[in-house]
Structures are given as C-alpha cells and as structure tokens.
Amino acid sequence: MGTPAESGVKAAPLLDILRRRIAAEGPITVTAFMADCLLHPEHGYYRSQSAIGLHGDFITAPEISQMFGELLGLWAADYWQRIGEPEKCYLVELGPGRGTLMRDALRAARALPAFRRALIPVLVEASVRLRDQQQAALTGEGAIWHEQIAAIPKDAPLLLIANEFLDALPVRQFQRGDDHAWHERCVGLDEASGELRFMLDPRALPFDELLPQVLRDSPPGSIVESSPPVRAVAVEISARLKAQGGAAVFIDYGYASAGIGETLQAVYRHTYADPLQTPGLADLTAHVDFGSFALAAKRAGAAVHGPVGQGAFLDQLGIQARAAKLKRDNLAQAGDVDQALRRLTAPEAMGTLFKALALTAPESPQPAGFA
Ligand code: SAH
C-alpha cells in the first residue's frame, strides 16, 4: 500500500505551512496538529475536501443505508412522545456530513405529523463546504445552521443526534519516555530530512495521578490518549439537557474504558495513510473514549444510557423489521438491504466497534435502544 503522496496525489499545501511554522516556533502538540489538519481555515480537511461517500475517503452508516437515519428519526419521535409531546423542539445534528442522516430522519418523522410540525431541524457544522451540501439535501425542511454547539437555541427541548462527530475532535497523546515519566507527544521536524515526525516534549508531566490504576505501570513507549474537546461536548450537552430537557445520542467507534495504545488514524480514499504525509488531505480521527465521555457527563449532572454496540442499538430500534419491509417493497433490492443490514449490525462489521451512548436529564425517561 503506497502512501497517497507516493501514489501521485496532489501535494498537501498544509504540509509546507506546518513545516514552516514548526521550523519557526518549535514542535506542536498532536492536538494542535489534528486541529489544523481538520479545520485549518483554508486547507483543513473538512474545509477543502469532499470527504464522505463512495467517491470520498470514507463511508459512514447513514451513507450505507437509509435505514440508519430513519431509525434515528423514529428514535427522536419516540422520545418526543415519552416526554409528553412538547409543542416545540429542536432536532439537532452535530457534524451532519452530507445531510443524509437528517434527510432520512425527517422523512421517517413525517409518519408522526404532530412531531414533524413540532420540530425545527438544527445542523451544527463547521465546514462551509459541507453546509452547502446539507442545504441542498434539506431544501424546504425549514432547517437552521450553526457553526457551534453554543449557538443551538435554548428555548425548547433538544433531540440530538451525533454520528461520527466525536471521533473528529482532537486528542492529546501522552507517551511514557525512557525516563519512565509521561511526556506530551508532539509533531516536530526531523533534523536530517526536514520531514515531520512524532517526538516527545522533553518536559515530564506529573501525569500518573491522573491515569486509571491499570495504566500506571505501563512500560516506556506506551501511549495514552485523552480528548478535552470530547469531554467538553459531554459537559455542554449535559448542561443543555438539564436546562431544556430532551435526549442526545452519540454513535461512534471507540472503547468503553481507557486503555493503552494510540488510535489516531488517517484515511484517504478508503485506505489508511500516514497522518504526517497527508495533513489536510486525509481524514484524521481517533477512537472515542466512551468511559471518560460518560464520566464527564455524569459529573455535569446528566443521566448516561449505554454505551451499547451499534448492532444491539439498531436491533432494539427495529432494524430487522425495517429491512424486511424494504425487501418486500422492492425485491430487486433485497440483496443490497441484506448487505447493509450486515454491515451496520454484524459484530465483525460495525456492530460492536461502533457504540451508541445517550444522555438525558437525570429525572427524564429512558430513551429507546438502551434496555
Ligand atoms: N455525521 C456524518 C458525518 C461524519 S464526518 C455522517 O455520519 O456521515 C464529521 C462531521 O463533523 C463533518 O460534517 C465535519 O465537518 C463535522 N465537524 C468536524 N469537526 C467539527 C467541529 N469542531 N464543529 C462542528 N462540526 C464539525
């Protein structure tokens, strides 16, 4: 597998910018590197690339099948009923990609006309380019867009969905050095070649106390990750749910409790790439630490449901019945539906690595899918 640079891909303009910046100012943290790669105003991945779908770099659950967005739309409709059918609510999506999930969710929501009348779709999207695509997918739906969670309206309950949003938020990495102390992992320049390379901040961090017991004795070279922005989302959404009511579901790939090992990965045209060679050109993600997400949400006063595997979650929402109906309605498509069902739910596909976790206010009903 050649790196994209070797396989004749256009050069990464961000690579030169980062090289110059590091030469002038010194190494930058992995967090700063990831943030620039994804959201640099001009050359960031989400600002400049058409990432998602068959012709992009990766395919997400809503792009695999309409069933995914439909079931999440029904999940929201069900919760709206559980909280007493408020006259107004916001159906919020964080990081809506091409707008496919929201489009499918709104189509499913029409099965409950009172719900469709009550809801205002809100899309939180940092990329202007993707916002344009979302607007085209959602013409006539009365949706509104914001760049940040803080701008979501405050005057009605939230039904919030975020699929593969948390994995796009930057992580910090810490590595145990040969001195047995923890150091922040950075991106600097190799003195000989002038190329980007990972290195450690020479300053030791008094970090052991912050680590779960099981990680404290890890050998030199061990890497652990931590994502302050992911925990900040947990805190911000928890506060909103407490104040406004409603429920939020986060679906992503990740682990239920913290472990050793780095999960930072770059994907370019459906293939893994070297993150240091493709800044701004490849998608850069890290697995989500659902354990610390849940802890941050609990501390902020929310009730946490799950995480459960995506397969179990979709099964509880009725994906088998939905698939059977789609197959009856269109026999020619039956093979595609079966294949999508398998990809979304089978343990060896997305069924267990991907997980769903929901947040609600503490005294609120339990959302569907987490029994
Ligand atoms: N949910 C979609 C897309 C996942 S890709 C799907 O399942 O297909 C990640 C999405 O999050 C993109 O829409 C990206 O532009 C958006 N995003 C990434 N970082 C963001 C941030 N800090 N604020 C708002 N949106 C962000």
Side-chain angles (χ1 to χ4, degrees):
M1 175 178 92
T3 62
E6 284 157 6
S7 47
V9 170
K10 65 181 174 225
L14 190 54
L15 187 55
D16 281 331
I17 296 173
L18 287 169
R19 270 204 208 102
R20 283 201 300 274
R21 176 173 155 202
I22 292 168
E25 296 167 21
I28 59 175
T29 61
V30 165
T31 327
F33 175 74
M34 195 171 167
D36 258 352
C37 286
L38 293 176
L39 294 174
H40 182 279
E42 202 179 339
H43 303 295
Y45 179 71
Y46 284 120
R47 310 257 192 222
S48 60
Q49 305 296 308
S50 50
I52 308 155
L54 219 46
H55 303 291
D57 295 305
F58 58 95
I59 292 197
T60 55
E63 304 294 335
I64 290 174
S65 166
Q66 68 187 75
M67 294 187 284
F68 190 79
E70 289 170 350
L71 290 171
L72 283 162
L74 295 177
W75 175 88
D78 173 75
Y79 203 74
W80 176 77
Q81 291 184 314
R82 291 185 196 207
I83 56 173
E85 309 194 352
E87 248 167 58
K88 178 177 175 184
C89 65
Y90 294 103
L91 181 63
V92 183
E93 189 179 358
L94 307 182
R98 305 206 308 172
T100 308
L101 190 161
M102 184 59 95
R103 197 193 58 210
D104 294 337
L106 291 174
R107 191 178 55 250
R110 274 185 226 125
L112 205 64
F115 175 56
R116 182 62 192 92
R117 279 196 301 277
L119 75 84
I120 299 172
V122 178
L123 295 102
V124 178
E125 176 56 71
S127 153
V128 177
R129 187 183 175 125
L130 284 175
R131 194 177 60 207
D132 288 345
Q133 286 190 29
Q134 293 153 17
Q135 275 166 344
L138 297 171
T139 335
E141 296 283 9
I144 53 178
W145 273 262
H146 290 293
E147 264 183 56
Q148 291 183 340
I149 291 172
I152 297 170
K154 298 194 166 154
D155 61 332
L158 304 179
L159 298 160
L160 183 146
I161 300 165
N163 186 59
E164 290 208 43
F165 170 71
L166 298 175
D167 68 51
L169 302 180
V171 290
R172 293 180 74 176
Q173 290 188 332
F174 304 97
Q175 187 168 349
R176 194 188 277 286
D178 294 330
D179 59 356
H180 285 259
W182 291 95
H183 298 263
E184 181 132 22
R185 202 160 178 241
C186 295
V187 175
L189 292 181
D190 186 81
E191 273 179 30
S193 66
E195 296 298 328
L196 297 187
R197 76 170 174 85
F198 288 111
M199 48 180 62
L200 299 188
D201 186 325
R203 286 167 297 184
L205 290 164
F207 188 56
D208 263 333
E209 310 86 88
L210 301 176
L211 282 179
Q213 191 69 42
V214 286
L215 304 185
R216 287 189 194 169
D217 296 326
S218 22
S222 305
I223 295 176
V224 295
E225 290 176 343
S226 160
S227 178
V230 165
R231 292 195 300 277
V233 169
V235 170
E236 207 170 351
I237 298 301
S238 298
R240 289 302 198 92
L241 293 172
K242 271 176 71 183
Q244 291 170 242
V249 62
F250 294 85
I251 303 160
D252 228 306
Y253 48 106
Y255 39 94
S257 58
I260 288 291
E262 78 157 325
T263 67
L264 185 72
Q265 66 186 30
V267 171
Y268 181 84
R269 309 269 149 96
H270 304 279
T271 310
Y272 292 109
D274 178 350
L276 298 184
Q277 291 206 28
T278 48
L281 294 184
D283 184 37
L284 208 51
T285 62
H287 288 205
V288 174
D289 176 355
F290 280 104
S292 26
F293 184 84
L295 195 63
K298 274 184 201 146
R299 285 192 181 137
V304 177
H305 312 268
V308 299
Q310 174 172 297
F313 177 65
L314 294 176
D315 271 338
Q316 286 188 55
L317 297 187
I319 195 168
Q320 304 293 342
R322 183 69 190 118
K325 167 96 171 67
L326 281 175
K327 290 194 318 193
R328 275 199 306 279
D329 290 353
N330 187 346
L331 283 176
Q333 256 192 14
D336 293 347
V337 173
D338 277 333
Q339 203 197 354
L341 179 64
R342 199 196 65 76
R343 283 178 77 181
L344 293 174
T345 61
E348 70 279 10
M350 298 171 79
T352 49
L353 174 61
F354 281 73
K355 297 174 178 60
L357 180 148
L359 304 179
T360 61
E363 63 288 355
S364 295
Q366 158 125 351
F370 297 91

